[in-house]
């Protein structure tokens, strides 16, 4: 991959934004809508069983692509997978 390609943003124009060390890649602020996070709205709309399945599939997806994203640490996707696994376990155990 060329240096120019690596530095393009989603629109293909300009450098990628610099992200601070404290940025939360698992639950960023843009996931919050009003008083609820998007996952909480999904739980309300589709119910516990479907949301648990969603969590399991997302964890699987993140684990399958560990180390495959260029210029991104493996820990980023691993932490996302762990979040989904923990959320599925939490919901299973809260019944």
């Amino acid at each position: 991959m060329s240096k120019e390609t690596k530095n393009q943003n989603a629109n293909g124009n300009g450098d990628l934004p610099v992200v601070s060390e404290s940025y939360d890649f698992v639950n960023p602020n843009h996931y919050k809508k009003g008083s609820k996070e998007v996952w909480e709205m999904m739980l309300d709309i589709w119910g516990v069983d479907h949301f648990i399945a969603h969590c399991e599939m997302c964890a699987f997806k993140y684990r399958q692509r560990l180390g495959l994203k260029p210029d991104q640490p493996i820990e980023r996707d691993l932490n996302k997978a762990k979040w989904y696994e923990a959320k599925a376990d939490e919901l299973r155990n809260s019944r």
Side-chain angles (χ1 to χ4, degrees), residues 3-78:
K3 193 171 191 175
E4 294 83 21
T5 305
K6 283 185 182 177
N7 290 329
Q8 296 299 305
N9 63 20
N11 296 322
N13 55 6
D15 290 336
L16 293 171
V18 175
V19 179
S20 75
E21 298 254 342
S22 63
Y23 183 81
D24 185 350
F25 287 96
V26 176
N27 290 307
N29 286 333
H30 66 268
Y31 283 12
K32 298 168 181 74
K33 300 284 184 186
S35 63
K36 290 189 174 191
E37 290 193 39
V38 173
W39 73 264
E40 293 170 304
M41 290 186 271
M42 292 171 67
L43 187 58
D44 290 344
I45 294 167
W46 286 287
V48 175
D49 291 333
H50 288 292
F51 189 73
I52 288 172
H54 167 76
C55 289
E56 292 169 340
M57 288 185 269
C58 285
F60 176 81
K61 171 187 71 174
Y62 283 115
R63 286 189 178 276
Q64 289 301 305
R65 61 187 187 198
L66 285 176
L68 300 177
K69 292 180 181 176
D71 302 324
Q72 289 192 25
I74 289 172
E75 293 78 20
R76 188 175 298 167
D77 279 345
L78 183 59

